[in-house]
């Protein structure tokens, strides 16, 4: 916690010319998602976990859905345009992404934090700060846990953040370019995977999981099972 580099980063943030503030003072909401065991359904509200959040990118490819009636009890954690979502657990915990206006409605699990800033602050700057080497290090510095590191909301709320007003829209351009790169990379990866499967003659192979298979009885006897 008192590593000289981390102390230097903290001092640099608190010496920022425009000032700094704890995240809690800049935000209307700092919360997280559902802590309870839930029942998933085939059709319902999209439910995302920490695996769906990357640096400046939200992956909406998830089969998890929760009942609308249950989702309404979790309205505090529902997606909102301009909200910043940050992973609390997982190998790369501490990564942040901004929810956009055209993004689908979703809710989150307890391993993801939701930060909704006050109007005078820029969520795109906050996402850039959280994903920067300084912000990322200071977030992870506050992690707890014996066997699995995690971010505690109270520690996240006290995170020092440089004050940059939302008039600086250049951060939106930066985030847009990074998001586009994520989408482009996913598209090219899918193309490469399809080409590889075609070259190997495996493009029609069914890899769907199966819970059973059939074998003749004499095979079972021969295997002494």
């Amino acid at each position: 916690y008192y590593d000289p580099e981390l102390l230097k980063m903290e001092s640099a943030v608190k010496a920022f010319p425009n000032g700094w503030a704890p995240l809690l003072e800049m935000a209307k909401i700092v919360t997280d998602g559902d802590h309870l065991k839930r029942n998933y359904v085939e059709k319902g509200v999209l439910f995302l976990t920490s695996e769906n959040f990357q640096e400046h990118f939200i992956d909406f490819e998830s089969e998890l859905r929760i009942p609308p009636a249950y989702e309404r009890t979790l309205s505090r954690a529902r997606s909102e345009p301009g909200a910043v979502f940050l992973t609390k657990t997982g190998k790369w915990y501490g990564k942040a992404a901004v929810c956009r206006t055209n993004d689908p409605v979703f809710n989150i699990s307890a391993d993801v934090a939701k930060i909704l800033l006050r109007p005078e602050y820029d969520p795109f700057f906050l996402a850039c700060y959280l994903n920067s080497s300084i912000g990322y290090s200071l977030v992870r510095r506050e992690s707890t846990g014996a066997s699995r590191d995690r971010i505690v909301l109270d520690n996240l709320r006290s995170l020092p953040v440089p004050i940059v007003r939302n008039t600086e829209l250049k951060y939106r351009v930066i985030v847009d370019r990074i998001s586009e790169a994520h989408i482009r990379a996913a598209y090219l990866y899918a193309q490469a995977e399809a080409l590889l499967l075609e070259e190997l003659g495996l493009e029609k192979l069914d890899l769907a999981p199966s819970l059973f298979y059939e074998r003749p009885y004499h095979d079972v006897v021969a295997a002494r099972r």
Side-chain angles (χ1 to χ4, degrees):
Y1 189 90
Y2 295 102
D3 182 281
E5 286 299 316
L6 294 175
L7 293 175
K8 187 184 298 183
M9 290 178 181
E10 182 181 29
S11 297
V13 172
K14 293 183 176 180
F16 189 65
N18 291 342
W20 68 277
L23 180 60
L24 180 61
E25 294 184 9
M26 304 173 69
K28 294 192 293 184
I29 296 174
V30 179
T31 186
D32 57 10
D34 189 17
H35 286 253
L36 301 177
K37 183 178 181 180
R38 65 203 71 87
N39 295 319
Y40 296 114
V41 295
E42 289 188 9
K43 294 183 179 180
V45 180
L46 181 64
F47 192 77
L48 302 182
T49 67
S50 62
E51 296 179 356
N52 297 100
F53 295 88
Q54 303 175 38
E55 184 175 323
H56 298 300
F57 182 71
I58 303 176
D59 181 6
F60 299 103
E61 294 297 323
S62 172
E63 297 180 355
L64 301 182
R65 301 288 188 278
I66 56 177
Y70 181 67
E71 193 276 336
R72 285 193 287 273
T73 68
L74 306 171
S75 58
R76 62 180 172 78
R78 185 180 301 140
S79 59
E80 295 182 58
V84 179
F85 290 89
L86 178 136
T87 55
K88 291 172 52 188
T89 62
K91 183 178 180 181
W92 303 112
Y93 70 94
K95 293 300 184 182
V98 181
C99 180
R100 308 302 186 89
T101 303
N102 297 325
D103 286 347
V105 175
F106 62 87
N107 215 302
I108 55 173
S109 63
D111 56 7
V112 181
K114 173 186 174 182
I115 306 165
L116 190 62
L117 293 177
R118 299 183 187 280
E120 62 267 31
Y121 299 109
D122 182 4
F124 293 92
F125 167 76
L126 178 62
C128 287
Y129 171 67
L130 293 173
N131 288 320
S132 71
S133 58
I134 294 177
Y136 186 63
S137 298
L138 293 180
V139 167
R140 291 172 70 96
R141 177 195 192 198
E142 299 290 346
S143 64
T144 64
S147 59
R148 186 185 186 193
D149 288 341
R150 62 191 179 94
I151 301 298
V152 177
L153 287 183
D154 283 342
N155 293 349
L156 181 61
R157 293 182 179 114
S158 64
L159 177 76
V161 180
I163 294 178
V164 175
R165 304 296 179 178
N166 60 9
T167 52
E168 299 193 28
L169 296 179
K170 61 183 179 181
Y171 294 102
R172 183 188 295 265
V173 175
I174 294 172
V175 173
D176 285 344
R177 290 178 178 175
I178 296 173
S179 299
E180 290 168 2
H182 275 289
I183 295 171
R184 178 64 175 166
Y187 173 74
L188 292 175
Y189 183 86
Q191 275 192 325
E193 186 176 43
L195 180 61
L196 177 62
L197 292 176
E198 183 179 353
E199 291 294 325
L200 296 175
L202 300 176
E203 70 273 15
K204 295 182 180 180
L205 181 64
D206 183 7
L207 296 177
S210 176
L211 300 180
F212 65 91
Y213 64 96
E214 296 182 0
R215 297 296 299 173
Y217 177 71
H218 61 79
D219 284 357
V220 179
V221 174
R224 297 180 181 181
R225 298 184 63 179

